[in-house]
Amino acid sequence: IDDLIYFESGRGTVYCYNASTGAKIWSVDMFKKFNARRTTWGMAESLLIERDHLYCTPGGEEDNIVSLNRFTGETIWTSPGNRQPSAYCSPVLVKHNKTSLIVTMTDESVVCVDAATGAFYWQVPQFQGNKIHANTPVYADGKIFCSSENAKTNSGIVALKLSDDGKSVETLWR
C-alpha cells in the first residue's frame, strides 16, 4: 500500500526500507533502545504491522513488548509484559469482541498485552527446553492455541479460552 517493507535482523535491529528503491527509512537497535536480551540464535520474529503500529518483542526486562510507529520508528508504547526474554515467536493481533490484543510467547510463557496501550493482561506457563517458541499463536472463536515441543508438564499444545474482555484467560486443555 505505502511501498514500505520491514525486517528484524538476527542482531536485533528493526529496519524499514522503501520497497521500490531500497532506501533505508529508519532503523531501531533493540539492544540499545530497549535493553533486549541476547538469545542463543539471535533475534527472530516476523514483525506485526497493524495500521500505524509495528509490534515486536525485544524481550527486555522493562521493554518486553513494544509498539513502534511504522512510518518513523518512534516508540508508541513499551510494556514490561512478563519480563522474560524473547523466544523467536512472532506476535499475533487478536480482535476479540471489542478488544484488540497482542499475543506472543516469551521464554517460558504465552503472554498477552493490550494492542493500543501495552497494558499487561495475562500470562500462561509454556515451556520448551531450548526456549524456542517459533510457532505463532493462533486465534479462533474466542480461543488461543499455542504449540511448543518439550517433555515438561506445561508444554505441547495448549488451548486457552479468553474472557469476554480478553483481559484474562483459562486453560481449556493441554
Side-chain angles (χ1 to χ4, degrees):
I1 293 172
D2 48 29
D3 208 27
L4 299 174
I5 58 171
Y6 303 90
F7 172 76
E8 178 182 296
S9 77
R11 294 184 180 203
T13 301
V14 175
Y15 295 93
C16 173
Y17 289 98
N18 179 293
S20 297
T21 66
K24 182 171 78 171
I25 308 297
W26 57 262
S27 65
V28 173
D29 183 322
M30 293 193 295
F31 288 102
K32 289 181 182 172
K33 187 162 187 173
F34 302 119
N35 294 313
R37 286 178 277 179
R38 302 228 177 257
T39 55
T40 303
W41 294 282
M43 302 296 280
E45 66 183 314
S46 296
L47 302 167
L48 174 61
I49 306 293
E50 170 67 15
R51 296 187 184 147
D52 294 350
H53 294 253
L54 177 149
Y55 300 97
C56 59
T57 311
E61 283 199 34
E62 295 302 318
D63 304 316
N64 191 252
I65 301 168
V66 303
S67 173
L68 305 177
N69 179 301
R70 73 182 188 97
F71 300 107
T72 66
E74 294 299 315
T75 303
I76 296 172
W77 56 253
T78 72
S79 174
N82 64 356
R83 303 180 191 277
Q84 293 178 3
S86 185
Y88 314 100
C89 184
S90 300
V92 64
L93 176 69
V94 171
K95 293 188 177 185
H96 177 69
N97 296 329
K98 295 181 180 182
T99 308
S100 290
L101 310 166
I102 301 298
V103 178
T104 191
M105 287 188 276
T106 56
D107 196 278
E108 295 182 344
S109 303
V110 181
V111 63
C112 174
V113 299
D114 183 273
T117 66
F120 177 74
Y121 288 150
W122 51 263
Q123 74 175 9
V124 173
Q126 183 74 358
F127 299 108
Q128 198 283 333
N130 293 321
K131 300 180 188 277
I132 300 171
H133 297 290
N135 296 319
T136 301
V138 174
Y139 171 78
D141 300 322
K143 297 176 190 77
I144 304 283
F145 300 89
C146 296
S147 174
S148 302
E149 185 281 322
N150 194 3
K152 289 187 177 185
T153 304
N154 291 323
S155 64
I157 299 172
V158 63
L160 307 170
K161 183 177 184 338
L162 290 168
S163 63
D164 287 341
D165 64 4
K167 294 180 181 181
S168 63
V169 68
E170 70 174 281
T171 301
L172 292 176
W173 53 264
R174 282 191 178 272

